[in-house]
Amino acid sequence: MGKIYVVGLGPGNVDCLTLGALDRLNSGYINILRTENHPTISYLKENNIPYESYDYVYEEKENFKEVYNYIVEDLIRKSEEYGVVNYFVPGNPLVAEKTVEILLDYKKEKDIEIDLISGMSFIDPILVAVGHDPVKGLKIIDGLNITGQKVDINTANIITQVYNKRVASSVKLYLSEIYGDEYEIYIVNSAGIEKEEEIFKIPIYELDRCDTINHLTSIYIPKVDKINTKIYDMNDLLDIIKILRGKEGCPWDREQTYLSIRESVIEEAYEVVEAIDEDDMDSLEEELGDLLLQVAFYSEMANEDGYFNIFDVTTGICNKLIFRHPHVFKQKKVEKCDEVVYNWNEMKFKNRNIENYTGRLRAVPKLPSLMRSYKVQKRAADVGFDWDNIYGAIDKVKEEYLEVIEEVDLCKGGDIERVEEELGDLLFAVVNVCRFSNVNPEVALNKAINKFIKRFELMEIKSNELGKDFREMTLEQMDILWNEAKNT
């Protein structure tokens, strides 16, 4: 069984080398460095301390994953060959050192003895340079995985491993989407190294234009100032709702219940749809915010009542998405889009203990009637109960239309229930034609309503130009204006 001492070399200044690190350097055992690109290497050379490094591996391998895995496997092999190996890494072994992370994972599986000898991390001199107390909040992010770890606007962030302009460019693009191009950040080079350390403030858009970026570059992003910089995230939204619902908050917000704002959910959802239909991205952004408010508001009320909170909501939907996408998260192979939809529905029905086909129809939520009929028909079609083609559905519309005429003629002011029933059948049949045409009937009807309103507006403008009021016009005169509006 071999033994590996993992030793931190500190941020770069020789004075930051610990006694433990010096002891290992002079122990007589083989010294291996992850990289020579570190200022303390001058100390080793000046004192004739023998070492070897893994810098050559970075040139030979195609990506960092291969580099790190090779280093770990080679360290294990050398520890078995030599008995003891000293492995030196920049800074602190437990801060931004992927090879150490992999080594510790190996330790759990294999018979390897590993001792960690700490060193000052590069984080400490960065904090000193920018004057930040980490107690006020700090998040450390690997610049090579910034989209996976994500910055937090409500705390300070340090981004490591921004060692060239390519990495800086990808970091810049990510940060610009959150903070905006003009938000000011700090570039910190050679933190903690006497006479070499430099720090300067720049707007985000200049990040990849800096000529001083190197392997000892980090980025410090100050916490967003909510007074002067209006950037908010989901946590801010939840905090605002808590304030509004609190004792010192808004009387109206405090009085709201699950029932009192339920219509707002429907209204906001329809306004989202309207913005999409009108291809109005500015309105869509605003309306999505209004819809998100409903989710956050309900979650806060439920939290107050001890039912669930926003984390339960997000956990639930994430679990559902993962469970219903085994072709993505569990390597299950799916070739076509319709297979994805089928698997989604089958898992949904299974999860809800729906065991028969009628139950699938009844499980369609009480949506607006056009949407509900569309979904019910789709689920019936999924099990084979459907027309062969659209013409069967169109013939059904004709049949139902004639039955409406027949009932209207029979009714003549009498019992209206039969007319209501036949009109319902006609609407249901029209929805079937929509389904065969891949047209959402709710959307189609909304567009027809908007078109009607627009034409009506043109009629009114024309009538005003003629100096006439609608109420003074005959139906024939209005029909003329209607036809003009249609042709406009």
Side-chain angles (χ1 to χ4, degrees), residues 307-325:
Y307 294 123
F308 59 84
N309 58 38
I310 191 66
F311 298 102
D312 297 315
V313 173
T314 55
T315 298
I317 189 58
C318 287
N319 283 332
K320 183 185 294 185
L321 287 170
I322 293 169
F323 174 73
R324 293 183 183 175
H325 290 84

Side-chain angles (χ1 to χ4, degrees), residues 4-12 17 21 25 31-38 40-41 52 54 58 68 71 75 86-101 103 116-122:
I4 302 173
Y5 284 93
V6 182
V7 187
L9 290 172
L17 281 173
L25 282 170
N31 296 322
I32 309 176
L33 280 60
R34 178 171 66 76
T35 177
E36 283 189 286
N37 291 321
H38 193 268
T40 54
I41 302 308
E52 56 186 76
Y54 284 116
Y58 290 85
Y68 298 147
I71 290 174
L75 282 171
N86 297 323
Y87 175 54
F88 294 88
V89 297
N92 186 308
L94 292 179
V95 178
E97 276 298 334
K98 190 65 178 179
T99 56
V100 178
E101 179 184 333
L103 262 176
L116 296 177
I117 298 178
S118 185
M120 181 188 291
S121 79
F122 60 92

Side-chain angles (χ1 to χ4, degrees), residues 2-3 29-30 32 52 77-85:
K3 182 170 184 176
Y29 292 105
I30 182 173
I32 309 176
E52 56 186 76
R77 181 182 61 79
K78 281 185 167 63
S79 71
E80 293 170 347
E81 179 181 351
Y82 296 107
V84 175
V85 170

Side-chain angles (χ1 to χ4, degrees), residues 411-452:
C411 179
K412 298 300 183 184
D415 189 357
I416 201 69
E417 288 187 5
R418 285 292 300 166
V419 175
E420 179 185 67
E421 180 180 342
E422 294 302 336
L423 282 171
D425 291 343
L426 176 59
L427 289 171
F428 195 81
V430 170
V431 171
N432 243 331
V433 176
C434 290
R435 182 174 58 84
F436 268 99
S437 304
N438 291 319
V439 170
N440 187 307
E442 192 76 22
V443 173
L445 184 56
N446 268 318
K447 286 184 176 179
I449 293 169
N450 291 334
K451 182 168 64 176
F452 177 85

Side-chain angles (χ1 to χ4, degrees), residues 71-217:
I71 290 174
V72 169
E73 291 169 4
D74 190 64
L75 282 171
I76 293 171
R77 181 182 61 79
K78 281 185 167 63
S79 71
E80 293 170 347
E81 179 181 351
Y82 296 107
V84 175
V85 170
N86 297 323
Y87 175 54
F88 294 88
V89 297
N92 186 308
L94 292 179
V95 178
E97 276 298 334
K98 190 65 178 179
T99 56
V100 178
E101 179 184 333
I102 298 172
L103 262 176
L104 294 177
D105 287 338
Y106 266 85
K107 181 181 178 181
K108 300 173 185 177
E109 303 173 4
K110 299 187 178 182
D111 190 19
I112 307 169
E113 189 177 354
I114 298 176
D115 264 9
L116 296 177
I117 298 178
S118 185
M120 181 188 291
S121 79
F122 60 92
I123 301 299
D124 298 281
I126 290 176
L127 295 176
V128 172
V130 299
H132 177 76
D133 182 352
V135 171
K136 296 179 180 179
L138 178 68
K139 185 170 184 178
I140 302 170
I141 300 171
D142 183 350
L144 300 176
N145 186 31
I146 189 168
T147 57
Q149 295 178 325
K150 297 181 175 53
V151 299
D152 184 348
I153 66 171
N154 290 314
T155 190
N157 297 264
I158 291 177
I159 303 178
T160 70
Q161 304 214 71
V162 187
Y163 53 77
N164 60 33
K165 287 190 176 182
R166 179 183 58 80
V167 178
S169 179
S170 64
V171 170
K172 180 190 81 169
L173 293 174
Y174 176 80
L175 296 181
S176 294
E177 291 182 357
I178 298 169
Y179 295 92
D181 293 336
E182 301 291 338
Y183 194 79
E184 292 189 321
I185 59 177
Y186 291 87
I187 298 290
V188 184
N189 289 327
S190 303
I193 303 175
E194 190 177 358
K195 297 181 180 180
E196 294 184 27
E197 178 181 282
E198 60 179 357
I199 176 171
F200 48 93
K201 184 188 289 188
I202 61 168
I204 286 174
Y205 73 84
E206 291 184 3
L207 178 56
D208 56 354
R209 303 176 189 176
C210 294
D211 294 327
T212 60
I213 288 177
N214 58 53
H215 63 283
L216 294 178
T217 296

Side-chain angles (χ1 to χ4, degrees), residues 108 149 180 250 283 353 375 384 460:
K108 300 173 185 177
Q149 295 178 325
C250 171
S283 292
N353 296 318
K375 287 183 173 291
E460 187 170 19

